[in-house]
Amino acid sequence: MTTARSSKLSRITAWPCGRRTKWLVVVFWLIVVAVTGSLAGKLQGAERNDASSYLPASAESTQELNLQAKFTSPNLNPAVLVYTRPSGITAADLSKAKTDARRFAALPAVHGRVVGPIPSKDHQALETIIGADLGYNANISGFINGLNATASAGDPGLAVHITGPAASAADEIKVFKGIDTTLLFATLAVVIALLLLTYRSPVLWVLPIMSAGVALTIAEAVIYLLTRHGLTVNGQSAGILVVLVLGAGTDYALLLIARYREELRRHEDRHEAMAVALRRAGPAIMASAATVIAGMLCLLVADSADISGLGPVAAIGITVGLIAMITLLPALLVIFGRWIFWPIRPRHGTPEPTANGLWARTGHAIAGRPRIVWVITAVLLGCASLGLIGFKVGSLTTAQSFRGTPASVAGEQVLARHFPAGGGEPVAVIGNAGSAAALRSAMAAAPGIAAVSAPVTRDGLVYLQGTLTSQPVSQAAFSTVSHVRDAVHKVPGADAKVGGGTAVTMDVESYATRDRNVIIPLVLLVVMIILGLLLRAVVAPLVLIGTVILSFGAALGLSALAFRHLFGFAGEDTSVPLFIFVFLVALGIDYNIFLMTRVREETISSGTRQGAISGLAATGGVITSAGAVLAGTFAMLGTLPLVTFTEIGFAVALGVLLDTII
């Protein structure tokens, strides 16, 4: 049975590196890229970055939004324009604002939906609310630029600021457009630099990068096709896809190339050397990829569409990356021959340098005092986890979500100084028309509501809007939404639903908290089962999971200290700990798998103690390089000026480095 299975595995691993079949493999991948290349470029246009698309149909704010289509366009995205003059608004300023309002009302996307200009109580500002029927993916940036050009024309002493949902969307779109350029090129630059340092070869790095690039293109094409059948993809998952495919794919390439280089010293024929390398390293690579895929697919149980959508996006990226690295990369390496390692080409019969290298010496040092090493390591990691004490986890305000101060945030701050902070993002209530008066009274009595609009009735329903006294995305605003829900739900026969931008954000946080509490234990269970099957043991998986949990806690604790004292962030978004956990457990366990599979292989011939030392000597260098590559790629998320991206990138990079060392 074992002989038959081994023979079958040998035939499979010989295919990508066969003397003739290697060319068929390369041609196959070229055809696939040619067919899917145009589809990959369409992925960004299929992204859904509006917060309401993250929620399930059962969310109250989603139900309100569906009913709201009877009263307003579902694509309504208001902009709030604020004119300010510190010395006081003049009659000429008011006249100009009224003229601008008439021009805005005539715009095709507005259709007359303009409120104001409304003078502030301190007589230093005017507010105009412009209802734009643009949705999220339309040309919002062009619309905002047009408003700004019209409002800014004239007296330079009258300052103009634009905020509200439309302006915030324009700033976010500007950031997400950078994913296809800034993030991709920054990640490639880091990977290339680290590969040059690892291989000390001016040419070898090209093949892993080429294979990873092919995998990314095909993965993006497949994901784009799935978006047409209901898969939710946003800028966050698209950005993570880039770093995941390039980072994890390069990790698999590093492990394969390291083993191939070993076998080139033992076999004169490079085809045979690659076949052996695939047979030896392939199971570890596939097991680590399977662990990541299983961990990512656990996200499918999430109620939040942005979290559940990331699961298949990441799983597809890892799957395509794995297939490319065990088929395309071996074929390319064999085609180019030994010279691709120039100037340090592994010659047949030469000794393997890792046998007496740094990690061999490290293994001997640890073997002399294993208990002291693991106790001290565990204590230090536990102490690092204490950095989480007192750190805020929850929804961030719009201002807190950006690194720096984009125009919409600056406008929001100006608006809050002169008007009720929630004027541009009202709380919406829809209920039965027969309860209109009772609903309006209940809403007006709720704490945190400054004013309530006149009822609008249609098709047996009533639509009300309430102005918040606090900023739309804040704990005070969330409390107001809760008060409004409590009040209107008590109105007999009203069947009221409460929504609006603040309610959407609040529901997103609530569902993200639920998803975190469900998914984290599930990921641990799934990964533990996979490790148990791989290692055919019970205790070893528990030990490996324990090291990853410790490093996760330490990474999050140290990151919290950095976020608070180094970056000055207000806290972490609710979904950030979940993303960090899933990536660190799924990806961090890779290095344990790489090490333990080699240790098991060496133990068969050398015994447990020497097998552990030999396994560390053989894989220590490649694991270090792989950890540096993966950490470097995730750190590139920090090139985007969004706090959530920066937090995920920093914490995962730090955690990966800790996993690598541990």
Side-chain angles (χ1 to χ4, degrees), residues 354 360 595 598-599 602 606 609-620:
T354 59
L595 175 61
R598 187 58 182 265
V599 167
E602 297 292 337
S606 306
R609 176 177 158 70
Q610 185 56 43
I613 296 173
S614 299
L616 178 61
T619 61

Side-chain angles (χ1 to χ4, degrees), residues 564-575:
R564 184 186 304 140
H565 301 294
L566 182 61
F567 296 104
F569 295 158
E572 287 181 351
D573 188 76
T574 308
S575 61

Side-chain angles (χ1 to χ4, degrees), residues 648-661:
I648 292 174
F650 183 91
V652 173
L654 179 59
V656 166
L657 291 177
L658 288 175
D659 282 335
T660 302
I661 297 169

